[in-house]
Amino acid sequence: MKWSSQHFTLPILLGVSLTSVGIALIYLLYKKDEEDTSSRRRHVEAAKRISVEYKVPRKFVPAVIGRGGSVIKDVQSKTGTQIHFKEDNLECSERVCIIRGTYESTCFAQEMIKSIIENQPLIETYEIYVPQKACARIIGRGGESVQEIQRSSSAKVIIESGCALYDPNSETRIIIKGTAEQIAAALSQIEEKVRQEKEASAKLEASSASRLPRANLSPRSTAINATEHSQPIESSKSLQGTDGTMEVYVSAMETPSKFWVQIVGCGTTALDELVSEMTAYYNDEQNYEQHKLTDITPGQICAAKFNFDEQWYRAEVISAPEDGQCEVNFMDYGDHDMVELDNILDLRTDFLCLRLQAVECSLNNVKPR
C-alpha cells in the first residue's frame, strides 16, 4: 500500500489551524479577565478614595503652594493625592485645602503640609527711624538701592512717605519684615547708607561754611563793605531735600526774575575741589607763563582770578578788552566782574570735565510792584 504526501499534509494543516484558534481564544479570554480584574480594582480603589479638608493659616498659603505650585505638586506626587484650595474668603484668617485620595494618602499629605507650615521661619517686623535726607540715598535712583538691599538680605523693606516739608530734623519710618537674620542684614545696609549720607552732609556743610557772597561783589549788585565780606555765610538760601524739592545755594542774583543757583550735592563739593586745584596750578609761576593769552576775545572760555578771594575760576569773556580790563562771567556762579587782562589765562582742557554748576532761574508768578 502506498501513502502519498497529500494524506499527511491535510491533517497536519488542520491540526495547526485548530491549535492557533485555541491559543487565540485562550488569550482573548485571559485579556478579558485581566481587564475585568483591573476594572474591579479601580472601582474598589475609587470607592476607597475620600476627600479631606485641611485648614491652612493664610500667611502660610504661599509657602504650601510654592513658586509656580512646585511645593504642592511635590506633595501630590509623593502621596498620590489631588490637592486644591477652596475659593478664597478674604474675611477668614485661614484657607481650606481639599485633599482627595485614600485614607492613608490623605493622612500622609496632611502630615507633609503640617511639616511645611511648622518649618517656616518666624517672620518678624522691625521699625527704624532715619533722617529724611538719607531716604534718597537708601532708595537710590529708580529704587535701585532699596531693591538691592531687599535682594541681598531677602527682607522686605517699606519706606514710609509723607514727611513734614522743610523740617531739617524730620525723620522717616522704615519697616523691615523678615527673619531675625534677614532683618539684621537689611538693617546693616540701611545704617551704612545713613552713615554715608551723614559724611556727605558734613562735607557739604563744610563747603557751604567756606562760601562767601560772591554776587554782592558784582558791578551789577549793591556794594557792601569789606567787614561784611569777611564773615562767612551762616546759612544759604536753600530748600531742604524733600519730596518734590531740592536744596540749592543761591550763588548770584540780579533781580527776582534773574538769578543763579547751584544744586547742593556732590557737584558743589567737586567744584570747591576744582577751584582749589585751579588756584594752586595757576599760582605756579611756570604754569602762569605757559597759559598766558596774547589775544582775548568775547565768548572765549578762560581761567580768571576773582578779585575778592584771589582764587581762579572757570569763566567766559563777555566784553572786549578796554583799559587793561575786560568783563567776565564766572560760569559756575553766574556773577560778573571786571578782571585785569593779566588775570585771564588759557583754561586747561581737563578743568572742563566737571559740568557747569550755575543754573539760571527766575521766580514764578512774581511781578514788580
Side-chain angles (χ1 to χ4, degrees), residues 263 267-268 271 274 314 332 351-359:
I263 299 174
T268 53
L271 176 60
L274 175 64
R314 299 186 295 186
D332 290 299
F351 286 147
L352 283 171
C353 292
L354 178 67
R355 68 174 179 83
L356 300 179
Q357 297 298 304
V359 180

Side-chain angles (χ1 to χ4, degrees), residues 12 33 85 260:
I12 291 171
D33 182 64
F85 283 88
W260 290 263

